């Protein structure tokens, strides 16, 4: 993928914390990953809004049911010795 240099303004303390953690050579890669994650979240938010507009908001009962199912998956994979979610991703 082609790259292009941009100038952005960041809070100095935040930028220095990141630079200390990843080193000067990893700073751009770190920022790129952060922006990619934010774009994914933005797109997911748009999808949720569109689905809620079409089907209505998720109810408390539906949220509780989904959370119970998530916990069951986590328990299942933890008992098998794999970190939660890792087995599911491999199977996909």
């Amino acid at each position: 993928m082609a790259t292009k240099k941009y100038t952005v303004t960041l809070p100095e303390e935040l930028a220095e914390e990141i630079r200390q953690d990843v080193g000067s050579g990893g700073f751009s890669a770190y920022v790129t990953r952060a922006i990619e994650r934010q774009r994914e979240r933005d797109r997911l938010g748009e999808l949720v809004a569109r689905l809620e507009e079409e089907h209505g908001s998720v109810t408390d009962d539906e949220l509780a049911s989904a959370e119970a199912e998530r916990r069951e998956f986590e328990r299942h994979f933890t008992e098998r010795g794999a970190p939660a979610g890792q087995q599911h991703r491999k199977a996909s």
Side-chain angles (χ1 to χ4, degrees):
M1 175 186 288
T3 61
K4 184 175 179 180
K5 189 171 186 170
Y6 291 90
T7 301
V8 297
T9 303
L10 301 170
E12 184 176 5
E13 288 180 15
L14 176 61
E16 289 306 316
E17 284 178 25
I18 294 167
R19 190 175 301 280
Q20 286 177 6
D21 289 346
V22 301
S24 60
F27 192 84
S28 290
Y30 184 93
V31 171
T32 298
R33 286 190 310 272
I35 291 170
E36 288 170 342
R37 281 192 307 274
Q38 183 61 48
R39 287 190 43 82
E40 288 174 1
R41 289 182 61 125
D42 292 346
R43 289 183 180 129
L44 285 172
E46 291 167 5
L47 175 61
V48 168
R50 191 169 65 236
L51 291 172
E52 285 184 338
E53 187 176 299
E54 187 175 331
H55 301 286
S57 296
V58 177
T59 67
D60 289 342
D61 287 343
E62 290 168 328
L63 284 173
S65 176
E67 177 60 18
E69 189 174 345
R70 185 199 64 77
R71 285 187 191 138
E72 180 60 24
F73 277 116
E74 186 175 79
R75 183 194 60 76
H76 173 76
F77 289 118
T78 299
E79 288 176 358
R80 296 178 87 192
Q86 185 175 359
Q87 291 273 346
H88 179 68
R89 280 190 220 114
K90 286 182 181 178
S92 297

